[in-house]
Amino acid sequence: MTAPLTRAEKTRRTRRRMLDAAARLFVERGWTGATVEDIARAAEVGVQTVYFTFGTKRALLGEVLDTAIAGDADPAATLDRPWAREVVAEPDPAAQLARQAAGARRVLERAAPVLEVVRTAATAEPELAALWRTNLEQRHTVQLHFAHALTAKATETALPAETAKTGGSTGTGEPIGAGTPDEPGGPLRDGHDARSAADIMFTVLGPETYGLLVTTQGWSPDRWERWAADLLTRQLLP
């Protein structure tokens, strides 16, 4: 005999139904077209239950987005997720970039449609403009963390070879990687440092690029992942 559900489990399942219904309707109808009344009806709850649980329609969309990005209801930040830790711990720079592309693909397969809802509505809705800006900042922060890890690995790889050739300097009296105002001094290809590398990662692995190639042009997620990893490698590694 199956044990009866606890009150906490019933609450969790009801919340999950509301999030699933909201995600489906936001993607199908957009921010304006998906009303709280329609979401409540699809989740088989009262309208006041939606408001009692989430407070506002904007907060509901925010939780839908967070859940889509995470893939679960665990509040752990992206950088605390196992896949992100594996990216940072990966000792090989090219393999790190491949892991980043794979992780981005898994996130975007879930979250790209919801991100597009937020992005398109942000132009007319100040509340959603703030949500979109927050998402941009969070994504760039994650990529900057990865970029710092990549530059550290690239520096470790480059130093022995450069030291052997120059005796610990660039041959001009400047320390390795110093660069000049007109020539970036980062350890990556074309002198990219962590910040400019993060900008490239942010662009290549973003939902805008994914949406253009996968949603609009019909690429498979697997093809996009391979393309993204290859492009990052060509752009960033010496």
PDB file of all heavy atoms in Angstrom, residues 105-130:
ATOM      1  N   ARG A 105      25.241  23.937 -23.713  1.00  0.00           N
ATOM      2  CA  ARG A 105      24.209  23.259 -24.512  1.00  0.00           C
ATOM      3  C   ARG A 105      23.118  22.678 -23.618  1.00  0.00           C
ATOM      4  O   ARG A 105      21.931  22.844 -23.895  1.00  0.00           O
ATOM      5  CB  ARG A 105      24.846  22.142 -25.339  1.00  0.00           C
ATOM      6  CG  ARG A 105      23.801  21.240 -26.003  1.00  0.00           C
ATOM      7  CD  ARG A 105      24.406  19.970 -26.542  1.00  0.00           C
ATOM      8  NE  ARG A 105      23.365  19.020 -26.919  1.00  0.00           N
ATOM      9  CZ  ARG A 105      23.619  17.863 -27.508  1.00  0.00           C
ATOM     10  NH1 ARG A 105      24.855  17.491 -27.781  1.00  0.00           N
ATOM     11  NH2 ARG A 105      22.624  17.051 -27.810  1.00  0.00           N
ATOM     12  N   ARG A 106      23.522  22.008 -22.541  1.00  0.00           N
ATOM     13  CA  ARG A 106      22.516  21.399 -21.655  1.00  0.00           C
ATOM     14  C   ARG A 106      21.612  22.467 -21.046  1.00  0.00           C
ATOM     15  O   ARG A 106      20.395  22.278 -20.943  1.00  0.00           O
ATOM     16  CB  ARG A 106      23.212  20.585 -20.561  1.00  0.00           C
ATOM     17  CG  ARG A 106      23.854  19.300 -21.053  1.00  0.00           C
ATOM     18  CD  ARG A 106      24.266  18.402 -19.904  1.00  0.00           C
ATOM     19  NE  ARG A 106      25.297  19.000 -19.080  1.00  0.00           N
ATOM     20  CZ  ARG A 106      26.605  18.872 -19.292  1.00  0.00           C
ATOM     21  NH1 ARG A 106      27.041  18.163 -20.333  1.00  0.00           N
ATOM     22  NH2 ARG A 106      27.485  19.429 -18.485  1.00  0.00           N
ATOM     23  N   VAL A 107      22.200  23.582 -20.643  1.00  0.00           N
ATOM     24  CA  VAL A 107      21.404  24.665 -20.071  1.00  0.00           C
ATOM     25  C   VAL A 107      20.473  25.264 -21.121  1.00  0.00           C
ATOM     26  O   VAL A 107      19.269  25.458 -20.880  1.00  0.00           O
ATOM     27  CB  VAL A 107      22.313  25.758 -19.478  1.00  0.00           C
ATOM     28  CG1 VAL A 107      21.501  26.993 -19.098  1.00  0.00           C
ATOM     29  CG2 VAL A 107      23.068  25.229 -18.258  1.00  0.00           C
ATOM     30  N   LEU A 108      20.999  25.544 -22.305  1.00  0.00           N
ATOM     31  CA  LEU A 108      20.212  26.237 -23.326  1.00  0.00           C
ATOM     32  C   LEU A 108      19.125  25.358 -23.921  1.00  0.00           C
ATOM     33  O   LEU A 108      18.076  25.879 -24.335  1.00  0.00           O
ATOM     34  CB  LEU A 108      21.142  26.768 -24.413  1.00  0.00           C
ATOM     35  CG  LEU A 108      22.057  27.909 -23.954  1.00  0.00           C
ATOM     36  CD1 LEU A 108      23.094  28.231 -25.013  1.00  0.00           C
ATOM     37  CD2 LEU A 108      21.243  29.144 -23.587  1.00  0.00           C
ATOM     38  N   GLU A 109      19.339  24.055 -23.975  1.00  0.00           N
ATOM     39  CA  GLU A 109      18.259  23.181 -24.442  1.00  0.00           C
ATOM     40  C   GLU A 109      17.023  23.333 -23.555  1.00  0.00           C
ATOM     41  O   GLU A 109      15.896  23.234 -24.028  1.00  0.00           O
ATOM     42  CB  GLU A 109      18.737  21.730 -24.463  1.00  0.00           C
ATOM     43  CG  GLU A 109      19.617  21.383 -25.648  1.00  0.00           C
ATOM     44  CD  GLU A 109      19.936  19.910 -25.735  1.00  0.00           C
ATOM     45  OE1 GLU A 109      20.711  19.424 -24.889  1.00  0.00           O
ATOM     46  OE2 GLU A 109      19.404  19.233 -26.635  1.00  0.00           O
ATOM     47  N   ARG A 110      17.246  23.579 -22.261  1.00  0.00           N
ATOM     48  CA  ARG A 110      16.130  23.779 -21.335  1.00  0.00           C
ATOM     49  C   ARG A 110      15.661  25.217 -21.311  1.00  0.00           C
ATOM     50  O   ARG A 110      14.466  25.501 -21.286  1.00  0.00           O
ATOM     51  CB  ARG A 110      16.548  23.392 -19.900  1.00  0.00           C
ATOM     52  CG  ARG A 110      16.938  21.961 -19.678  1.00  0.00           C
ATOM     53  CD  ARG A 110      17.144  21.711 -18.187  1.00  0.00           C
ATOM     54  NE  ARG A 110      18.168  22.576 -17.598  1.00  0.00           N
ATOM     55  CZ  ARG A 110      19.440  22.236 -17.430  1.00  0.00           C
ATOM     56  NH1 ARG A 110      19.856  21.043 -17.840  1.00  0.00           N
ATOM     57  NH2 ARG A 110      20.308  23.071 -16.878  1.00  0.00           N
ATOM     58  N   ALA A 111      16.623  26.154 -21.279  1.00  0.00           N
ATOM     59  CA  ALA A 111      16.302  27.529 -20.900  1.00  0.00           C
ATOM     60  C   ALA A 111      16.166  28.508 -22.054  1.00  0.00           C
ATOM     61  O   ALA A 111      15.591  29.591 -21.868  1.00  0.00           O
ATOM     62  CB  ALA A 111      17.370  28.046 -19.932  1.00  0.00           C
ATOM     63  N   ALA A 112      16.691  28.192 -23.241  1.00  0.00           N
ATOM     64  CA  ALA A 112      16.670  29.171 -24.337  1.00  0.00           C
ATOM     65  C   ALA A 112      15.261  29.687 -24.652  1.00  0.00           C
ATOM     66  O   ALA A 112      15.089  30.896 -24.861  1.00  0.00           O
ATOM     67  CB  ALA A 112      17.327  28.586 -25.587  1.00  0.00           C
ATOM     68  N   PRO A 113      14.229  28.840 -24.707  1.00  0.00           N
ATOM     69  CA  PRO A 113      12.894  29.377 -25.007  1.00  0.00           C
ATOM     70  C   PRO A 113      12.387  30.366 -23.951  1.00  0.00           C
ATOM     71  O   PRO A 113      11.762  31.380 -24.290  1.00  0.00           O
ATOM     72  CB  PRO A 113      12.010  28.119 -25.061  1.00  0.00           C
ATOM     73  CG  PRO A 113      12.963  27.001 -25.385  1.00  0.00           C
ATOM     74  CD  PRO A 113      14.219  27.354 -24.661  1.00  0.00           C
ATOM     75  N   VAL A 114      12.680  30.090 -22.677  1.00  0.00           N
ATOM     76  CA  VAL A 114      12.243  31.001 -21.611  1.00  0.00           C
ATOM     77  C   VAL A 114      13.063  32.293 -21.651  1.00  0.00           C
ATOM     78  O   VAL A 114      12.527  33.393 -21.466  1.00  0.00           O
ATOM     79  CB  VAL A 114      12.365  30.328 -20.233  1.00  0.00           C
ATOM     80  CG1 VAL A 114      11.864  31.268 -19.137  1.00  0.00           C
ATOM     81  CG2 VAL A 114      11.588  29.023 -20.199  1.00  0.00           C
ATOM     82  N   LEU A 115      14.366  32.170 -21.901  1.00  0.00           N
ATOM     83  CA  LEU A 115      15.204  33.356 -22.030  1.00  0.00           C
ATOM     84  C   LEU A 115      14.715  34.254 -23.167  1.00  0.00           C
ATOM     85  O   LEU A 115      14.755  35.486 -23.064  1.00  0.00           O
ATOM     86  CB  LEU A 115      16.656  32.943 -22.266  1.00  0.00           C
ATOM     87  CG  LEU A 115      17.410  32.462 -21.028  1.00  0.00           C
ATOM     88  CD1 LEU A 115      18.675  31.711 -21.431  1.00  0.00           C
ATOM     89  CD2 LEU A 115      17.760  33.630 -20.108  1.00  0.00           C
ATOM     90  N   GLU A 116      14.241  33.650 -24.248  1.00  0.00           N
ATOM     91  CA  GLU A 116      13.733  34.436 -25.364  1.00  0.00           C
ATOM     92  C   GLU A 116      12.464  35.194 -24.964  1.00  0.00           C
ATOM     93  O   GLU A 116      12.244  36.335 -25.397  1.00  0.00           O
ATOM     94  CB  GLU A 116      13.457  33.538 -26.563  1.00  0.00           C
ATOM     95  CG  GLU A 116      12.955  34.263 -27.807  1.00  0.00           C
ATOM     96  CD  GLU A 116      13.949  35.265 -28.385  1.00  0.00           C
ATOM     97  OE1 GLU A 116      15.125  35.273 -27.971  1.00  0.00           O
ATOM     98  OE2 GLU A 116      13.539  36.060 -29.260  1.00  0.00           O
ATOM     99  N   VAL A 117      11.630  34.582 -24.134  1.00  0.00           N
ATOM    100  CA  VAL A 117      10.439  35.277 -23.625  1.00  0.00           C
ATOM    101  C   VAL A 117      10.862  36.519 -22.850  1.00  0.00           C
ATOM    102  O   VAL A 117      10.310  37.615 -23.038  1.00  0.00           O
ATOM    103  CB  VAL A 117       9.609  34.343 -22.721  1.00  0.00           C
ATOM    104  CG1 VAL A 117       8.487  35.117 -22.031  1.00  0.00           C
ATOM    105  CG2 VAL A 117       9.031  33.188 -23.534  1.00  0.00           C
ATOM    106  N   VAL A 118      11.840  36.366 -21.966  1.00  0.00           N
ATOM    107  CA  VAL A 118      12.306  37.492 -21.159  1.00  0.00           C
ATOM    108  C   VAL A 118      12.939  38.559 -22.047  1.00  0.00           C
ATOM    109  O   VAL A 118      12.662  39.756 -21.903  1.00  0.00           O
ATOM    110  CB  VAL A 118      13.305  37.011 -20.087  1.00  0.00           C
ATOM    111  CG1 VAL A 118      13.816  38.200 -19.272  1.00  0.00           C
ATOM    112  CG2 VAL A 118      12.663  35.983 -19.161  1.00  0.00           C
ATOM    113  N   ARG A 119      13.783  38.136 -22.980  1.00  0.00           N
ATOM    114  CA  ARG A 119      14.499  39.090 -23.838  1.00  0.00           C
ATOM    115  C   ARG A 119      13.533  39.933 -24.664  1.00  0.00           C
ATOM    116  O   ARG A 119      13.670  41.164 -24.748  1.00  0.00           O
ATOM    117  CB  ARG A 119      15.456  38.355 -24.768  1.00  0.00           C
ATOM    118  CG  ARG A 119      16.369  39.269 -25.569  1.00  0.00           C
ATOM    119  CD  ARG A 119      17.158  38.501 -26.610  1.00  0.00           C
ATOM    120  NE  ARG A 119      16.309  38.017 -27.686  1.00  0.00           N
ATOM    121  CZ  ARG A 119      15.903  38.754 -28.714  1.00  0.00           C
ATOM    122  NH1 ARG A 119      16.275  40.044 -28.812  1.00  0.00           N
ATOM    123  NH2 ARG A 119      15.135  38.247 -29.662  1.00  0.00           N
ATOM    124  N   THR A 120      12.546  39.300 -25.287  1.00  0.00           N
ATOM    125  CA  THR A 120      11.635  40.037 -26.158  1.00  0.00           C
ATOM    126  C   THR A 120      10.696  40.946 -25.353  1.00  0.00           C
ATOM    127  O   THR A 120      10.377  42.053 -25.799  1.00  0.00           O
ATOM    128  CB  THR A 120      10.800  39.077 -27.018  1.00  0.00           C
ATOM    129  OG1 THR A 120      10.130  38.125 -26.164  1.00  0.00           O
ATOM    130  CG2 THR A 120      11.686  38.312 -27.988  1.00  0.00           C
ATOM    131  N   ALA A 121      10.292  40.507 -24.172  1.00  0.00           N
ATOM    132  CA  ALA A 121       9.391  41.325 -23.362  1.00  0.00           C
ATOM    133  C   ALA A 121      10.127  42.463 -22.667  1.00  0.00           C
ATOM    134  O   ALA A 121       9.501  43.469 -22.300  1.00  0.00           O
ATOM    135  CB  ALA A 121       8.688  40.460 -22.319  1.00  0.00           C
ATOM    136  N   ALA A 122      11.443  42.334 -22.504  1.00  0.00           N
ATOM    137  CA  ALA A 122      12.220  43.335 -21.762  1.00  0.00           C
ATOM    138  C   ALA A 122      12.193  44.700 -22.441  1.00  0.00           C
ATOM    139  O   ALA A 122      12.377  45.731 -21.780  1.00  0.00           O
ATOM    140  CB  ALA A 122      13.661  42.862 -21.600  1.00  0.00           C
ATOM    141  N   THR A 123      11.951  44.727 -23.750  1.00  0.00           N
ATOM    142  CA  THR A 123      11.949  46.009 -24.459  1.00  0.00           C
ATOM    143  C   THR A 123      10.764  46.882 -24.068  1.00  0.00           C
ATOM    144  O   THR A 123      10.819  48.111 -24.231  1.00  0.00           O
ATOM    145  CB  THR A 123      11.916  45.778 -25.984  1.00  0.00           C
ATOM    146  OG1 THR A 123      10.747  45.024 -26.327  1.00  0.00           O
ATOM    147  CG2 THR A 123      13.161  45.019 -26.438  1.00  0.00           C
ATOM    148  N   ALA A 124       9.695  46.262 -23.573  1.00  0.00           N
ATOM    149  CA  ALA A 124       8.489  47.028 -23.255  1.00  0.00           C
ATOM    150  C   ALA A 124       8.101  46.965 -21.778  1.00  0.00           C
ATOM    151  O   ALA A 124       7.262  47.750 -21.336  1.00  0.00           O
ATOM    152  CB  ALA A 124       7.310  46.525 -24.095  1.00  0.00           C
ATOM    153  N   GLU A 125       8.693  46.050 -21.034  1.00  0.00           N
ATOM    154  CA  GLU A 125       8.315  45.846 -19.634  1.00  0.00           C
ATOM    155  C   GLU A 125       9.509  46.142 -18.732  1.00  0.00           C
ATOM    156  O   GLU A 125      10.471  45.362 -18.700  1.00  0.00           O
ATOM    157  CB  GLU A 125       7.839  44.413 -19.408  1.00  0.00           C
ATOM    158  CG  GLU A 125       6.604  44.027 -20.189  1.00  0.00           C
ATOM    159  CD  GLU A 125       5.355  44.630 -19.612  1.00  0.00           C
ATOM    160  OE1 GLU A 125       5.390  45.075 -18.451  1.00  0.00           O
ATOM    161  OE2 GLU A 125       4.329  44.649 -20.321  1.00  0.00           O
ATOM    162  N   PRO A 126       9.495  47.242 -17.981  1.00  0.00           N
ATOM    163  CA  PRO A 126      10.631  47.581 -17.117  1.00  0.00           C
ATOM    164  C   PRO A 126      11.000  46.472 -16.134  1.00  0.00           C
ATOM    165  O   PRO A 126      12.184  46.236 -15.873  1.00  0.00           O
ATOM    166  CB  PRO A 126      10.147  48.831 -16.375  1.00  0.00           C
ATOM    167  CG  PRO A 126       9.144  49.441 -17.303  1.00  0.00           C
ATOM    168  CD  PRO A 126       8.458  48.282 -17.966  1.00  0.00           C
ATOM    169  N   GLU A 127       9.994  45.783 -15.583  1.00  0.00           N
ATOM    170  CA  GLU A 127      10.292  44.701 -14.645  1.00  0.00           C
ATOM    171  C   GLU A 127      11.097  43.596 -15.315  1.00  0.00           C
ATOM    172  O   GLU A 127      12.019  43.035 -14.719  1.00  0.00           O
ATOM    173  CB  GLU A 127       8.990  44.115 -14.093  1.00  0.00           C
ATOM    174  CG  GLU A 127       8.329  44.938 -13.016  1.00  0.00           C
ATOM    175  CD  GLU A 127       7.159  44.196 -12.420  1.00  0.00           C
ATOM    176  OE1 GLU A 127       6.296  43.737 -13.181  1.00  0.00           O
ATOM    177  OE2 GLU A 127       7.132  44.060 -11.185  1.00  0.00           O
ATOM    178  N   LEU A 128      10.741  43.280 -16.545  1.00  0.00           N
ATOM    179  CA  LEU A 128      11.452  42.228 -17.254  1.00  0.00           C
ATOM    180  C   LEU A 128      12.779  42.718 -17.799  1.00  0.00           C
ATOM    181  O   LEU A 128      13.713  41.923 -17.978  1.00  0.00           O
ATOM    182  CB  LEU A 128      10.577  41.654 -18.359  1.00  0.00           C
ATOM    183  CG  LEU A 128       9.299  40.965 -17.884  1.00  0.00           C
ATOM    184  CD1 LEU A 128       8.666  40.180 -19.017  1.00  0.00           C
ATOM    185  CD2 LEU A 128       9.568  40.047 -16.704  1.00  0.00           C
ATOM    186  N   ALA A 129      12.888  44.017 -18.060  1.00  0.00           N
ATOM    187  CA  ALA A 129      14.182  44.575 -18.451  1.00  0.00           C
ATOM    188  C   ALA A 129      15.189  44.374 -17.322  1.00  0.00           C
ATOM    189  O   ALA A 129      16.356  44.031 -17.568  1.00  0.00           O
ATOM    190  CB  ALA A 129      14.044  46.057 -18.787  1.00  0.00           C
ATOM    191  N   ALA A 130      14.742  44.560 -16.091  1.00  0.00           N
ATOM    192  CA  ALA A 130      15.622  44.345 -14.941  1.00  0.00           C
ATOM    193  C   ALA A 130      15.994  42.870 -14.814  1.00  0.00           C
ATOM    194  O   ALA A 130      17.148  42.529 -14.517  1.00  0.00           O
ATOM    195  CB  ALA A 130      14.951  44.832 -13.662  1.00  0.00           C
TER     196      ALA A 130
END
